[in-house]
Amino acid sequence: MESLSVEEIELILDTADSLKEISTRPIKKVPTLRGKTVVHFFYEPSTRTRTSFEIAAKRLSADTVSLSASTSSMVKGETLIDTAKNLEAMNPDAIVLRHNSAGAPHMLAQLVDASIINAGDGMHAHPTQALLDMMTVREKKGRLSGLRVAIMGDIAHSRVARSDIVAFVKMGARVILAGPPTMIPKGIETLEAPVTYHTREAVKDADVIIVLRIQKERQQAFLFPSEREYAQCYGLTAESLAGARDDVLILHPGPMNRGVEIAPEVADGPYSVILEQVANGVALRMAILYLLLGGAR
Ligand code: CP
C-alpha cells in the first residue's frame, strides 16, 4: 500500500466496482485472461484469500494452479527461491504468494519475471485485504476521505492493520488504533494513527470499526490474562458500540474468534458488512489480476 498513489488506488477500486457485476450473472465468466496462467502458492492456511483469488482468476478465464507448502517439495527442503525459480521456468503470468515471512513476496518479485501478488506476508502486509476493505467502505459510505476509522485489537501481529492504516490514511480517513498496551507496537503512531487503550474512546463517533483477530499462533508470550478478560475489556459488543455513529460499519477480515474480539450479536448484526467484505474480495482480486495481466504491464 505504501507504493500505490491515491490515483492508482482509485483505479483499482473503480475497476473492482465495474467487475463486481460479473459475479451476479448466470454464467459468471468472461474471456479477458484466456491463455494466462496464475499460480496460487499458499505457504500459510487461508480460506478467504485463497478461494477468492482462485475464483477471481477463473471468472476471468485464466488457467490456475494451486500449491501449498505441505504438498510442494518444500517439505523435502527446497527453498522458497528455488521453488519460485522452478515455477518461473513453467512461465506463469502471475504468482499469488502467501508466506509467513515478511518480505517474501518482495524478494520473489526481484527474482522472477512473473507478476508477484502479495496475499499476506508474515506480520507485514495484506494489501488486497486493505483494498477490499476500502472497496466495501466506499461502496457503503460513498467516500473514504474524512471518515473516522477505528482499528481495534491485536495490532502488533496484524498485517491487515498495517496495510489498512497506510491505505485509509492515504485516502484521507482519520484512523484511530485501540487495543491492550501489549498488542500495540511501539512507534506505530508514526503511521499518523493515534493510539488509545480504551475501547469506548476508539468507538466514539466512529464511521467504521475494523475488528482484528487475536493471532494466538503468532504470539510469543501471554499478552492478556484470559479470553474472558479480553472480551470484557476489548471485545466489541452491542453495549460497547453505543457511542459509534448510527450508520457505523463493522468490518472483520476473518477468521473471527466469536465471543472474544467480537460478540456474535455484532458480527451478525445490522451494522456488520463482514460477508460483504468477502464478496468484494472476489471483485477486488479480479481487478488486480485484470490490471496486472489484462493489458500492458
Ligand atoms: N482475511 C484473510 O486473509 O482470511 P484468510 O486467512 O482466510 O485468507
Side-chain angles (χ1 to χ4, degrees), residues 52-278:
S52 60
F53 260 117
E54 292 203 23
I55 290 175
K58 284 177 167 48
R59 290 201 174 149
L60 294 171
S61 297
D63 297 316
T64 63
V65 183
S66 278
L67 200 63
S68 65
S70 62
T71 58
S72 76
S73 284
M74 289 182 82
V75 290
K76 301 175 200 164
E78 190 165 35
T79 65
L80 175 64
I81 292 174
D82 281 338
T83 305
K85 284 184 174 168
N86 279 270
L87 293 174
E88 170 81 347
M90 295 178 236
N91 204 17
D93 298 283
I95 299 174
V96 179
L97 178 69
R98 168 166 289 190
H99 201 275
N100 55 1
S101 293
H106 181 74
M107 180 187 68
L108 285 199
Q110 322 295 314
L111 298 175
V112 303
D113 199 37
S115 294
I116 303 291
I117 301 171
N118 184 356
D121 61 328
M123 298 191 291
H124 173 230
H126 196 347
T128 59
Q129 180 71 45
L131 288 162
L132 74 89
D133 288 351
M134 290 195 294
M135 178 186 177
T136 306
V137 172
R138 196 178 76 154
E139 193 174 73
K140 296 285 176 190
K141 300 282 187 190
R143 67 191 167 102
L144 296 169
S145 182
L147 295 179
R148 181 175 162 90
V149 178
I151 303 179
M152 295 179 34
D154 186 358
I155 311 282
H157 299 95
S158 176
R159 55 194 174 207
V160 176
R162 281 169 187 65
S163 289
D164 268 341
I165 295 166
V166 173
F168 277 99
V169 167
K170 190 170 279 189
M171 299 309 283
R174 292 173 297 132
V175 175
I176 182 164
L177 308 177
T182 50
M183 291 184 181
I184 307 281
K186 284 192 172 56
I188 194 87
E189 322 73 57
T190 56
L191 296 179
E192 294 177 42
V195 172
T196 174
Y197 304 125
H198 305 288
T199 301
R200 281 187 195 284
E201 200 180 318
V203 165
K204 191 171 175 338
D205 298 329
D207 297 288
V208 177
I209 300 174
I210 301 175
V211 186
L212 300 172
R213 180 172 73 91
I214 296 178
Q215 302 202 25
K216 284 176 262 182
E217 76 276 19
R218 295 192 206 278
Q219 294 177 2
Q220 308 293 325
F222 292 109
L223 299 179
F224 54 94
S226 69
E227 289 189 352
R228 192 162 153 267
E229 192 163 325
Y230 185 91
Q232 277 175 359
C233 296
Y234 292 102
L236 191 65
T237 61
E239 192 192 352
S240 59
L241 253 186
R245 293 178 66 89
D246 292 344
D247 57 351
V248 66
L249 300 177
I250 309 295
L251 284 76
H252 191 305
M256 288 185 277
N257 295 304
R258 283 175 176 267
V260 185
E261 72 262 5
I262 189 165
E265 74 264 18
V266 176
D268 304 325
Y271 308 113
S272 171
V273 290
I274 293 169
L275 292 179
E276 282 158 271
Q277 287 174 270
V278 178

Side-chain angles (χ1 to χ4, degrees), residues 45-50 98 126 129 159 253-255:
S46 168
T47 296
R48 283 146 288 267
T49 312
R50 181 175 187 155
R98 168 166 289 190
H126 196 347
Q129 180 71 45
R159 55 194 174 207

